[in-house]
Amino acid sequence: MIPILFVNHSYGGGTEKNVNDLANALVKNYEWISVVVATVGTDEVGISVYKRNKVLKKYSFLIFEKNQYLNSSENIKSVLLDIIKLFSIKLIHFHHFVFLKDFSLDLNEISLPYFVTLHDYFFVCPTVNLINTKGRFCSGCIPEEDSSYEFRSCMMQLNKEPEYLSKHRIFFENILSNASKVILPNESMLPILLKIFSNFRNYSVIEHGVDIKEGSTLNRLQRFVKKIKILLIGDLSNHKGFEIIKEICSDNNVLRFCEFELWGKTFHRLPNVKYRGVYDSKTLTNIFEENDYDLSLQLSITAESYSYTISELIANRIPIICFNLGAQAERVTRFNAGWAVSEIDSKQVIRLLLKLAEDRSLIKFKKESIKSEDLISVSEMAKKYMEIYVGFIDRKTTFRNKKLLINEKKQILKKYKDRKRKLFDLNFIFFKKILKRWLVRVYLVWSNR
């Protein structure tokens, strides 16, 4: 069995979903593959081992020891090297590097082929979503050509020196150039990457696979006397277009013809919106079928790298209105799934909504013409990845002296058990000190009552 290592952050979201989907599909479709998923957190690396379509065992390795800087790249690299030895890893696939706090990680020292999937724009800028301090999508500024020096404000907001941006890009350009292959989830990312990394060439585009049951939402638009029912879905933050959606939901003309429901959360209340609570992606199809939605607004003001929500809406034939930006627009256009508004402006969306309210047959026609059958499945995605991996995997696995290998693995496991025990002892000592101080204070108060 050939073990592959996936390395990811611990923040969840679409990246985690893609990692889990891919790991499960690989071990299900290729029995000679196992996947070790290392999730790098603030103080530990969580490890899940996928074999034959199930998670067999979970581990937790502390990144640091007493008096060490919490998660420097050197400490993380040390843990990764131990994982490579422990599981006899043959290939590494990095899904994110946002956990790195410095630029000291040298992947050449690991001496294994590695792949990188770009799930967002972190390689381009530590802001991740390329939204500047003015709340606008900057498409990756070039400081030496940016007379406004807006990037300084972005770095200041991140508590970084202005020079940090160039160091960040130099570091990740080196990672990209030495990768066996870089995977993009869509074509729309490429111009932004080439703008910053002009020599970027070694890439493939593999869209995230989805396994969603197509909902039966066709032939629903018989309610011409009622308002258009508009779905807002997901946690709406500023870069997801919260302010623009707020303006749309406050427009009196729109409210005459449209009503809004939100499945998800917002930091601030949206006016004239019915909040339905959080949702489980497994029950989305049922939600869509039961609630009879006509349209969905997906108004991200950043160029999304991918959107699982778009896939779910396409599968359930709910037309989408988005801005002509990034993967959302690319996919809405390719699947004929809605309308991409040319300007990032609430007035443009309002005009479109009023047009659709006037001629609702446009919505019905769009529902019928969505190319939901073209969505790529998780298995198809895994197959595309395996076609790339296979040239870098040596299936004729050779082992060193078996006894020596077993002893080395035992020592690695013992090291992290000892590290946990020491941390527990330190925490217990700290707790005893706190408890002692508290008891002394209680005694003094009691004796002086």
Side-chain angles (χ1 to χ4, degrees):
M1 189 167 282
I2 306 296
I4 297 174
L5 174 64
F6 283 5
V7 183
N8 191 26
H9 60 52
S10 59
Y11 303 131
T15 306
E16 182 184 44
K17 175 174 171 50
N18 178 246
V19 166
N20 290 337
D21 284 351
L22 181 56
N24 275 312
L26 286 171
V27 299
K28 178 182 178 181
N29 297 332
Y30 306 94
E31 290 192 351
W32 50 276
I33 288 289
S34 65
V35 179
V36 179
V37 177
T39 306
V40 184
T42 305
D43 54 3
E44 68 178 17
V45 177
I47 301 165
S48 302
V49 182
Y50 292 72
K51 285 183 181 179
R52 294 185 179 87
N53 202 28
K54 59 178 74 173
V55 181
L56 286 189
K57 196 162 185 180
K58 294 195 174 187
Y59 302 81
S60 178
F61 286 0
L62 286 175
I63 294 172
F64 60 94
E65 294 187 73
K66 186 183 175 185
N67 300 325
Q68 282 189 326
Y69 175 57
L70 285 185
N71 66 343
S72 70
S73 300
E74 284 299 321
N75 288 345
I76 291 172
K77 184 179 73 177
S78 174
V79 177
L80 291 180
L81 286 170
D82 283 338
I83 293 170
I84 288 166
K85 291 174 187 173
L86 184 62
F87 297 100
S88 305
I89 298 297
K90 299 300 173 189
L91 178 151
I92 308 176
H93 189 152
F94 289 97
H95 286 267
H96 225 293
F97 289 88
V98 72
F99 45 76
L100 295 182
K101 303 300 181 187
D102 54 50
F103 303 126
S104 61
L105 182 66
D106 184 0
L107 294 181
N108 292 324
E109 292 181 22
I110 294 177
S111 67
L112 281 175
Y114 73 87
F115 297 79
V116 178
T117 293
L118 300 185
H119 291 273
D120 51 38
Y121 296 99
F122 180 65
F123 272 50
V124 171
C125 180
T127 58
V128 180
N129 54 31
L130 304 184
I131 300 293
N132 63 25
T133 52
K134 295 177 182 176
R136 295 177 191 148
F137 178 67
C138 72
S139 75
C141 70
I142 301 176
E144 50 272 24
E145 296 177 11
D146 180 12
S147 57
S148 69
Y149 292 99
E150 171 61 28
F151 80 97
R152 292 176 180 269
S153 302
C154 292
M155 292 304 105
M156 193 179 298
Q157 196 172 60
L158 295 169
N159 295 317
K160 307 290 185 185
E161 294 295 324
E163 307 81 55
Y164 184 88
L165 181 60
S166 61
K167 291 178 182 176
H168 179 95
R169 288 175 174 174
I170 290 168
F171 176 75
F172 283 112
E173 184 172 31
N174 183 55
I175 286 179
L176 290 176
S177 61
N178 288 309
S180 299
K181 184 73 75 174
V182 178
I183 313 298
L184 309 182
N186 70 87
E187 291 278 1
S188 65
M189 293 185 79
L190 191 56
I192 294 170
L193 289 165
L194 287 174
K195 177 182 174 183
I196 306 303
F197 308 117
S198 56
N199 295 321
F200 178 63
R201 294 289 181 275
N202 188 25
Y203 71 93
S204 290
V205 177
I206 302 178
E207 191 166 317
H208 296 345
V210 286
D211 290 334
I212 305 170
K213 184 184 77 173
E214 183 174 332
S216 54
T217 61
L218 282 176
N219 303 318
R220 294 288 193 83
L221 205 67
Q222 308 298 326
R223 310 175 284 103
F224 297 116
V225 296
K226 294 185 179 180
K227 292 183 177 182
I228 295 174
K229 196 170 183 180
I230 298 176
L231 168 67
L232 307 171
I233 187 167
D235 296 342
L236 297 182
S237 55
N238 285 335
H239 76 273
K240 294 288 186 181
F242 175 85
E243 293 298 332
I244 287 174
I245 291 172
K246 184 179 177 181
E247 290 174 18
I248 294 166
C249 296
S250 303
D251 187 273
N252 289 328
N253 288 325
V254 170
L255 293 174
R256 285 171 58 201
F257 303 105
C258 303
E259 59 186 14
F260 300 88
E261 289 190 3
L262 169 68
W263 286 91
K265 302 192 295 267
T266 58
F267 291 110
H268 305 288
R269 195 80 182 174
L270 280 168
N272 308 308
V273 172
K274 183 178 181 180
Y275 280 69
R276 299 296 303 272
V278 295
Y279 65 92
D280 183 344
S281 59
K282 294 176 183 176
T283 61
L284 264 182
T285 297
N286 293 335
I287 288 172
F288 293 156
E289 289 181 349
E290 290 167 7
N291 290 281
D292 202 17
Y293 295 112
D294 300 314
L295 296 171
S296 179
L297 297 184
Q298 296 295 310
L299 300 177
S300 290
I301 61 172
T302 184
E304 300 277 1
S305 61
Y306 186 81
S307 172
Y308 276 107
T309 304
I310 295 290
S311 295
E312 288 154 347
L313 293 168
I314 289 170
N316 288 278
R317 294 183 178 276
I318 299 176
I320 301 152
I321 296 176
C322 67
F323 292 123
N324 190 19
L325 189 66
Q328 287 193 333
E330 178 192 314
R331 301 182 71 226
V332 164
T333 302
R334 178 154 51 88
F335 291 98
N336 195 27
W339 300 268
V341 177
S342 58
E343 294 179 36
I344 301 177
D345 177 38
S346 62
K347 293 183 178 62
Q348 295 279 343
V349 180
I350 289 169
R351 274 196 279 272
L352 176 57
L353 286 174
L354 295 178
K355 177 185 175 182
L356 296 174
E358 187 178 333
D359 185 359
R360 301 191 185 190
S361 65
L362 294 172
I363 302 175
K364 186 174 186 294
F365 178 75
K366 188 61 70 174
K367 276 181 178 283
E368 292 169 344
S369 59
I370 292 174
K371 300 175 183 177
S372 58
E373 66 279 1
D374 290 347
L375 286 168
I376 182 175
S377 71
V378 174
S379 289
E380 289 171 322
M381 171 186 68
K383 182 181 177 183
K384 289 177 182 288
Y385 271 100
M386 185 51 68
E387 286 170 356
I388 295 173
Y389 289 158
V390 76
F392 297 88
I393 296 175
D394 180 12
R395 293 182 66 176
K396 295 176 183 177
T397 314
T398 55
F399 294 99
R400 296 170 286 153
N401 181 288
K402 215 170 193 179
K403 191 172 181 180
L404 182 66
L405 189 67
I406 291 169
N407 287 336
E408 188 177 20
K409 289 184 176 184
K410 283 181 178 178
Q411 287 172 6
I412 290 170
L413 287 171
K414 183 178 181 302
K415 179 171 80 172
Y416 287 100
K417 282 180 182 176
D418 290 345
R419 195 174 280 189
K420 270 192 172 180
R421 182 181 51 76
K422 286 178 185 176
L423 183 65
F424 176 81
D425 291 344
L426 287 170
N427 288 337
F428 184 68
I429 292 167
F430 178 73
F431 173 74
K432 284 204 304 185
K433 285 181 180 178
I434 296 294
L435 181 63
K436 184 178 178 182
R437 286 178 192 170
W438 182 77
L439 289 172
V440 168
R441 285 180 183 176
V442 169
Y443 172 75
L444 289 173
V445 170
W446 179 261
S447 59
N448 292 324
R449 70 190 187 283

